[in-house]
mmCIF file with all atom_site columns, all heavy atoms in Angstrom:
data_model
loop_
_atom_site.group_PDB
_atom_site.id
_atom_site.type_symbol
_atom_site.label_atom_id
_atom_site.label_alt_id
_atom_site.label_comp_id
_atom_site.label_asym_id
_atom_site.label_entity_id
_atom_site.label_seq_id
_atom_site.pdbx_PDB_ins_code
_atom_site.Cartn_x
_atom_site.Cartn_y
_atom_site.Cartn_z
_atom_site.occupancy
_atom_site.B_iso_or_equiv
_atom_site.pdbx_formal_charge
_atom_site.auth_seq_id
_atom_site.auth_comp_id
_atom_site.auth_asym_id
_atom_site.auth_atom_id
_atom_site.pdbx_PDB_model_num
ATOM 1   N N   . VAL Z 1 369 ? 27.093 290.396 224.253 1.00 97.00 ? 369 VAL Z N   1
ATOM 2   C CA  . VAL Z 1 369 ? 26.408 289.385 223.420 1.00 97.00 ? 369 VAL Z CA  1
ATOM 3   C C   . VAL Z 1 369 ? 26.602 289.723 221.854 1.00 97.00 ? 369 VAL Z C   1
ATOM 4   O O   . VAL Z 1 369 ? 26.873 288.853 221.074 1.00 97.00 ? 369 VAL Z O   1
ATOM 5   C CB  . VAL Z 1 369 ? 24.907 289.303 223.806 1.00 97.00 ? 369 VAL Z CB  1
ATOM 6   C CG1 . VAL Z 1 369 ? 24.079 288.548 222.741 1.00 97.00 ? 369 VAL Z CG1 1
ATOM 7   C CG2 . VAL Z 1 369 ? 24.736 288.715 225.151 1.00 97.00 ? 369 VAL Z CG2 1
ATOM 8   N N   . ARG Z 1 370 ? 26.492 290.991 221.619 1.00 96.00 ? 370 ARG Z N   1
ATOM 9   C CA  . ARG Z 1 370 ? 26.713 291.424 220.212 1.00 96.00 ? 370 ARG Z CA  1
ATOM 10  C C   . ARG Z 1 370 ? 28.153 291.060 219.785 1.00 96.00 ? 370 ARG Z C   1
ATOM 11  O O   . ARG Z 1 370 ? 28.370 290.504 218.658 1.00 96.00 ? 370 ARG Z O   1
ATOM 12  C CB  . ARG Z 1 370 ? 26.508 292.921 220.161 1.00 96.00 ? 370 ARG Z CB  1
ATOM 13  C CG  . ARG Z 1 370 ? 26.526 293.519 218.775 1.00 96.00 ? 370 ARG Z CG  1
ATOM 14  C CD  . ARG Z 1 370 ? 26.480 295.060 218.846 1.00 96.00 ? 370 ARG Z CD  1
ATOM 15  N NE  . ARG Z 1 370 ? 26.849 295.606 217.574 1.00 96.00 ? 370 ARG Z NE  1
ATOM 16  C CZ  . ARG Z 1 370 ? 25.997 296.084 216.700 1.00 96.00 ? 370 ARG Z CZ  1
ATOM 17  N NH1 . ARG Z 1 370 ? 24.735 296.001 216.906 1.00 96.00 ? 370 ARG Z NH1 1
ATOM 18  N NH2 . ARG Z 1 370 ? 26.452 296.546 215.546 1.00 96.00 ? 370 ARG Z NH2 1
ATOM 19  N N   . GLU Z 1 371 ? 29.120 291.343 220.626 1.00 97.00 ? 371 GLU Z N   1
ATOM 20  C CA  . GLU Z 1 371 ? 30.498 291.011 220.282 1.00 97.00 ? 371 GLU Z CA  1
ATOM 21  C C   . GLU Z 1 371 ? 30.698 289.531 220.130 1.00 97.00 ? 371 GLU Z C   1
ATOM 22  O O   . GLU Z 1 371 ? 31.370 289.045 219.207 1.00 97.00 ? 371 GLU Z O   1
ATOM 23  C CB  . GLU Z 1 371 ? 31.368 291.583 221.456 1.00 97.00 ? 371 GLU Z CB  1
ATOM 24  C CG  . GLU Z 1 371 ? 32.861 291.629 221.108 1.00 97.00 ? 371 GLU Z CG  1
ATOM 25  C CD  . GLU Z 1 371 ? 33.636 292.111 222.365 1.00 97.00 ? 371 GLU Z CD  1
ATOM 26  O OE1 . GLU Z 1 371 ? 33.120 292.970 223.086 1.00 97.00 ? 371 GLU Z OE1 1
ATOM 27  O OE2 . GLU Z 1 371 ? 34.697 291.505 222.622 1.00 97.00 ? 371 GLU Z OE2 1
ATOM 28  N N   . SER Z 1 372 ? 30.108 288.717 221.052 1.00 97.00 ? 372 SER Z N   1
ATOM 29  C CA  . SER Z 1 372 ? 30.233 287.309 220.975 1.00 97.00 ? 372 SER Z CA  1
ATOM 30  C C   . SER Z 1 372 ? 29.588 286.815 219.674 1.00 97.00 ? 372 SER Z C   1
ATOM 31  O O   . SER Z 1 372 ? 30.102 285.882 219.034 1.00 97.00 ? 372 SER Z O   1
ATOM 32  C CB  . SER Z 1 372 ? 29.496 286.624 222.132 1.00 97.00 ? 372 SER Z CB  1
ATOM 33  O OG  . SER Z 1 372 ? 29.976 287.067 223.343 1.00 97.00 ? 372 SER Z OG  1
ATOM 34  N N   . TYR Z 1 373 ? 28.455 287.431 219.301 1.00 96.00 ? 373 TYR Z N   1
ATOM 35  C CA  . TYR Z 1 373 ? 27.803 286.996 218.122 1.00 96.00 ? 373 TYR Z CA  1
ATOM 36  C C   . TYR Z 1 373 ? 28.631 287.235 216.918 1.00 96.00 ? 373 TYR Z C   1
ATOM 37  O O   . TYR Z 1 373 ? 28.725 286.448 215.953 1.00 96.00 ? 373 TYR Z O   1
ATOM 38  C CB  . TYR Z 1 373 ? 26.381 287.614 218.001 1.00 96.00 ? 373 TYR Z CB  1
ATOM 39  C CG  . TYR Z 1 373 ? 25.704 287.051 216.725 1.00 96.00 ? 373 TYR Z CG  1
ATOM 40  C CD1 . TYR Z 1 373 ? 25.079 285.811 216.834 1.00 96.00 ? 373 TYR Z CD1 1
ATOM 41  C CD2 . TYR Z 1 373 ? 25.763 287.739 215.557 1.00 96.00 ? 373 TYR Z CD2 1
ATOM 42  C CE1 . TYR Z 1 373 ? 24.547 285.222 215.724 1.00 96.00 ? 373 TYR Z CE1 1
ATOM 43  C CE2 . TYR Z 1 373 ? 25.223 287.172 214.437 1.00 96.00 ? 373 TYR Z CE2 1
ATOM 44  C CZ  . TYR Z 1 373 ? 24.602 285.906 214.503 1.00 96.00 ? 373 TYR Z CZ  1
ATOM 45  O OH  . TYR Z 1 373 ? 24.062 285.314 213.375 1.00 96.00 ? 373 TYR Z OH  1
ATOM 46  N N   . LYS Z 1 374 ? 29.277 288.394 216.859 1.00 96.00 ? 374 LYS Z N   1
ATOM 47  C CA  . LYS Z 1 374 ? 30.099 288.724 215.730 1.00 96.00 ? 374 LYS Z CA  1
ATOM 48  C C   . LYS Z 1 374 ? 31.232 287.686 215.557 1.00 96.00 ? 374 LYS Z C   1
ATOM 49  O O   . LYS Z 1 374 ? 31.585 287.324 214.436 1.00 96.00 ? 374 LYS Z O   1
ATOM 50  C CB  . LYS Z 1 374 ? 30.651 290.180 215.826 1.00 96.00 ? 374 LYS Z CB  1
ATOM 51  C CG  . LYS Z 1 374 ? 29.518 291.165 215.673 1.00 96.00 ? 374 LYS Z CG  1
ATOM 52  C CD  . LYS Z 1 374 ? 29.860 292.449 215.036 1.00 96.00 ? 374 LYS Z CD  1
ATOM 53  C CE  . LYS Z 1 374 ? 28.603 293.058 214.392 1.00 96.00 ? 374 LYS Z CE  1
ATOM 54  N NZ  . LYS Z 1 374 ? 28.703 294.488 214.215 1.00 96.00 ? 374 LYS Z NZ  1
ATOM 55  N N   . LYS Z 1 375 ? 31.803 287.291 216.694 1.00 97.00 ? 375 LYS Z N   1
ATOM 56  C CA  . LYS Z 1 375 ? 32.880 286.333 216.699 1.00 97.00 ? 375 LYS Z CA  1
ATOM 57  C C   . LYS Z 1 375 ? 32.342 284.974 216.152 1.00 97.00 ? 375 LYS Z C   1
ATOM 58  O O   . LYS Z 1 375 ? 32.982 284.354 215.316 1.00 97.00 ? 375 LYS Z O   1
ATOM 59  C CB  . LYS Z 1 375 ? 33.395 286.044 218.137 1.00 97.00 ? 375 LYS Z CB  1
ATOM 60  C CG  . LYS Z 1 375 ? 34.546 286.957 218.516 1.00 97.00 ? 375 LYS Z CG  1
ATOM 61  C CD  . LYS Z 1 375 ? 35.121 286.472 219.878 1.00 97.00 ? 375 LYS Z CD  1
ATOM 62  C CE  . LYS Z 1 375 ? 35.614 287.666 220.653 1.00 97.00 ? 375 LYS Z CE  1
ATOM 63  N NZ  . LYS Z 1 375 ? 35.688 287.412 222.101 1.00 97.00 ? 375 LYS Z NZ  1
ATOM 64  N N   . ALA Z 1 376 ? 31.189 284.591 216.596 1.00 97.00 ? 376 ALA Z N   1
ATOM 65  C CA  . ALA Z 1 376 ? 30.612 283.367 216.166 1.00 97.00 ? 376 ALA Z CA  1
ATOM 66  C C   . ALA Z 1 376 ? 30.246 283.391 214.682 1.00 97.00 ? 376 ALA Z C   1
ATOM 67  O O   . ALA Z 1 376 ? 30.505 282.499 213.957 1.00 97.00 ? 376 ALA Z O   1
ATOM 68  C CB  . ALA Z 1 376 ? 29.375 283.028 216.996 1.00 97.00 ? 376 ALA Z CB  1
ATOM 69  N N   . GLU Z 1 377 ? 29.644 284.508 214.292 1.00 95.00 ? 377 GLU Z N   1
ATOM 70  C CA  . GLU Z 1 377 ? 29.231 284.683 212.943 1.00 95.00 ? 377 GLU Z CA  1
ATOM 71  C C   . GLU Z 1 377 ? 30.390 284.590 211.959 1.00 95.00 ? 377 GLU Z C   1
ATOM 72  O O   . GLU Z 1 377 ? 30.284 284.073 210.834 1.00 95.00 ? 377 GLU Z O   1
ATOM 73  C CB  . GLU Z 1 377 ? 28.521 286.023 212.759 1.00 95.00 ? 377 GLU Z CB  1
ATOM 74  C CG  . GLU Z 1 377 ? 27.762 286.166 211.489 1.00 95.00 ? 377 GLU Z CG  1
ATOM 75  C CD  . GLU Z 1 377 ? 27.005 287.531 211.344 1.00 95.00 ? 377 GLU Z CD  1
ATOM 76  O OE1 . GLU Z 1 377 ? 27.516 288.494 211.939 1.00 95.00 ? 377 GLU Z OE1 1
ATOM 77  O OE2 . GLU Z 1 377 ? 25.999 287.556 210.718 1.00 95.00 ? 377 GLU Z OE2 1
ATOM 78  N N   . ALA Z 1 378 ? 31.520 285.089 212.421 1.00 95.00 ? 378 ALA Z N   1
ATOM 79  C CA  . ALA Z 1 378 ? 32.713 285.053 211.574 1.00 95.00 ? 378 ALA Z CA  1
ATOM 80  C C   . ALA Z 1 378 ? 33.193 283.639 211.288 1.00 95.00 ? 378 ALA Z C   1
ATOM 81  O O   . ALA Z 1 378 ? 33.888 283.369 210.309 1.00 95.00 ? 378 ALA Z O   1
ATOM 82  C CB  . ALA Z 1 378 ? 33.840 285.816 212.199 1.00 95.00 ? 378 ALA Z CB  1
ATOM 83  N N   . MET Z 1 379 ? 32.718 282.709 212.137 1.00 95.00 ? 379 MET Z N   1
ATOM 84  C CA  . MET Z 1 379 ? 33.082 281.295 211.943 1.00 95.00 ? 379 MET Z CA  1
ATOM 85  C C   . MET Z 1 379 ? 32.039 280.561 211.080 1.00 95.00 ? 379 MET Z C   1
ATOM 86  O O   . MET Z 1 379 ? 32.185 279.364 210.811 1.00 95.00 ? 379 MET Z O   1
ATOM 87  C CB  . MET Z 1 379 ? 33.206 280.582 213.312 1.00 95.00 ? 379 MET Z CB  1
ATOM 88  C CG  . MET Z 1 379 ? 34.143 281.188 214.263 1.00 95.00 ? 379 MET Z CG  1
ATOM 89  S SD  . MET Z 1 379 ? 35.794 281.472 213.548 1.00 95.00 ? 379 MET Z SD  1
ATOM 90  C CE  . MET Z 1 379 ? 36.463 279.807 213.676 1.00 95.00 ? 379 MET Z CE  1
ATOM 91  N N   . GLY Z 1 380 ? 31.017 281.294 210.626 1.00 94.00 ? 380 GLY Z N   1
ATOM 92  C CA  . GLY Z 1 380 ? 30.037 280.677 209.739 1.00 94.00 ? 380 GLY Z CA  1
ATOM 93  C C   . GLY Z 1 380 ? 28.663 280.580 210.323 1.00 94.00 ? 380 GLY Z C   1
ATOM 94  O O   . GLY Z 1 380 ? 28.549 280.495 211.572 1.00 94.00 ? 380 GLY Z O   1
ATOM 95  N N   . THR Z 1 381 ? 27.651 280.688 209.517 1.00 94.00 ? 381 THR Z N   1
ATOM 96  C CA  . THR Z 1 381 ? 26.243 280.537 209.971 1.00 94.00 ? 381 THR Z CA  1
ATOM 97  C C   . THR Z 1 381 ? 25.501 279.713 208.931 1.00 94.00 ? 381 THR Z C   1
ATOM 98  O O   . THR Z 1 381 ? 26.114 279.302 207.900 1.00 94.00 ? 381 THR Z O   1
ATOM 99  C CB  . THR Z 1 381 ? 25.557 281.935 210.012 1.00 94.00 ? 381 THR Z CB  1
ATOM 100 O OG1 . THR Z 1 381 ? 25.330 282.352 208.655 1.00 94.00 ? 381 THR Z OG1 1
ATOM 101 C CG2 . THR Z 1 381 ? 26.375 282.989 210.713 1.00 94.00 ? 381 THR Z CG2 1
ATOM 102 N N   . LEU Z 1 382 ? 24.257 279.476 209.220 1.00 91.00 ? 382 LEU Z N   1
ATOM 103 C CA  . LEU Z 1 382 ? 23.438 278.716 208.291 1.00 91.00 ? 382 LEU Z CA  1
ATOM 104 C C   . LEU Z 1 382 ? 23.392 279.399 206.916 1.00 91.00 ? 382 LEU Z C   1
ATOM 105 O O   . LEU Z 1 382 ? 23.290 278.761 205.854 1.00 91.00 ? 382 LEU Z O   1
ATOM 106 C CB  . LEU Z 1 382 ? 22.022 278.541 208.846 1.00 91.00 ? 382 LEU Z CB  1
ATOM 107 C CG  . LEU Z 1 382 ? 21.047 277.618 208.122 1.00 91.00 ? 382 LEU Z CG  1
ATOM 108 C CD1 . LEU Z 1 382 ? 21.523 276.171 208.177 1.00 91.00 ? 382 LEU Z CD1 1
ATOM 109 C CD2 . LEU Z 1 382 ? 19.658 277.791 208.641 1.00 91.00 ? 382 LEU Z CD2 1
#
Side-chain angles (χ1 to χ4, degrees):
Chain Z
V369 168
R370 186 188 164 100
E371 193 185 320
S372 302
Y373 184 78
K374 291 212 156 158
K375 270 189 214 158
E377 191 177 31
M379 304 307 281
T381 72
L382 187 68

